[in-house]
Amino acid sequence: KGKFTAIMGPSGSGKSTLMHCSAGLDDLTSGTVHIGETELGSLSDKDLTLLRRNKVGFVFQAFNLLPTLTAKENTTLPLDLAGAKPDNEWMDQVVQAVGIADRLKHRPDEVSGGQQQRVAVARALVSKPEIVFADEPSGNLDSKNAKELHELFFMLRKDLKQTFVIVTHNESLANMADNKITISDGKISL
């Protein structure tokens, strides 16, 4: 727990495909993927959906927040859809850690882009996933908000013992990672 892996490479090299396969969003054409002790290829569609819901968090470049929901409602949406209730103590810890405790009643159009991305990060964390995948999470942010988001990921790795796999073009973010994977023309080099 608490590891940070960065995936880098030029556009079109296969970074997002690798992440999507690793997260169980896309099917593999060869090889295997394990999340914890579970091999994803052995799961039925229903079991794969349950694994993603219970053990995987996602942060996408487009924040994917619903405009009519408050920050709190956007954060708890995956749990609501699953018919589950958030662990209130964990939820409080997450919203404090990501710095949105004072924005929970605001809708996306009432907060900055950086705050919207923090809501997206909280949403990825609220179900206590084993791993969080993030696809260019700072790609739509200015340099100040991108730096704050990167610092947030490292703080969450340390304080919440959260494991992250992040696709990024940001060299300084990748250089801070525990592991760095570089992809070129679909080939991985560690």
Side-chain angles (χ1 to χ4, degrees):
K1 283 267 189 188
K3 292 287 183 186
F4 191 107
T5 299
I7 302 174
M8 294 195 71
S11 294
S13 63
K15 299 180 304 292
S16 293
T17 299
L18 175 62
M19 187 191 79
H20 287 187
C21 290
S22 299
L25 295 173
D26 290 343
D27 293 330
L28 299 177
T29 54
S30 64
T32 60
V33 172
H34 293 260
I35 293 182
E37 300 296 317
T38 305
E39 198 275 309
L40 301 191
S42 68
L43 299 176
S44 67
D45 286 345
K46 179 182 177 187
D47 289 339
L48 186 57
T49 298
L50 291 172
L51 177 122
R52 284 192 305 254
R53 181 187 303 157
N54 297 323
K55 296 190 177 197
V56 178
F58 300 97
V59 181
F60 297 101
Q61 185 173 355
F63 311 138
N64 294 338
L65 302 179
L66 295 180
T68 58
L69 299 182
T70 65
K72 182 177 183 179
E73 292 165 337
N74 268 293
T75 299
T76 61
L77 184 61
L79 292 173
D80 296 339
L81 293 173
K85 297 283 183 210
D87 173 328
N88 289 329
E89 187 176 322
W90 176 251
M91 173 86 172
D92 289 345
Q93 190 176 356
V94 166
V95 299
Q96 289 293 332
V98 301
I100 60 166
D102 61 340
R103 297 286 187 247
L104 291 178
K105 294 182 180 177
H106 294 78
R107 288 190 306 279
D109 65 350
E110 298 171 328
V111 298
S112 71
Q115 290 167 332
Q116 289 179 40
Q117 189 62 299
R118 288 171 179 267
V119 173
V121 172
R123 181 182 55 203
L125 292 169
V126 75
S127 64
K128 297 183 182 179
E130 288 186 17
I131 187 167
V132 172
F133 292 93
D135 195 0
E136 293 283 356
S138 58
N140 288 331
L141 300 176
D142 61 37
S143 59
K144 177 183 178 289
N145 281 314
K147 183 176 187 295
E148 287 178 7
L149 182 64
H150 300 162
E151 290 169 355
L152 173 65
F153 285 138
F154 283 96
M155 185 271 299
L156 294 169
R157 178 194 76 182
K158 179 178 172 266
D159 294 352
L160 301 181
K161 307 286 188 260
Q162 185 61 58
T163 295
F164 290 94
V165 174
I166 297 181
V167 169
T168 186
H169 284 288
N170 188 298
E171 192 72 42
S172 64
L173 173 63
N175 287 337
M176 296 189 305
D178 300 304
N179 303 301
K180 182 175 162 183
I181 297 170
T182 302
I183 298 182
S184 181
D185 299 324
K187 304 282 187 222
I188 295 174
S189 62
L190 299 175

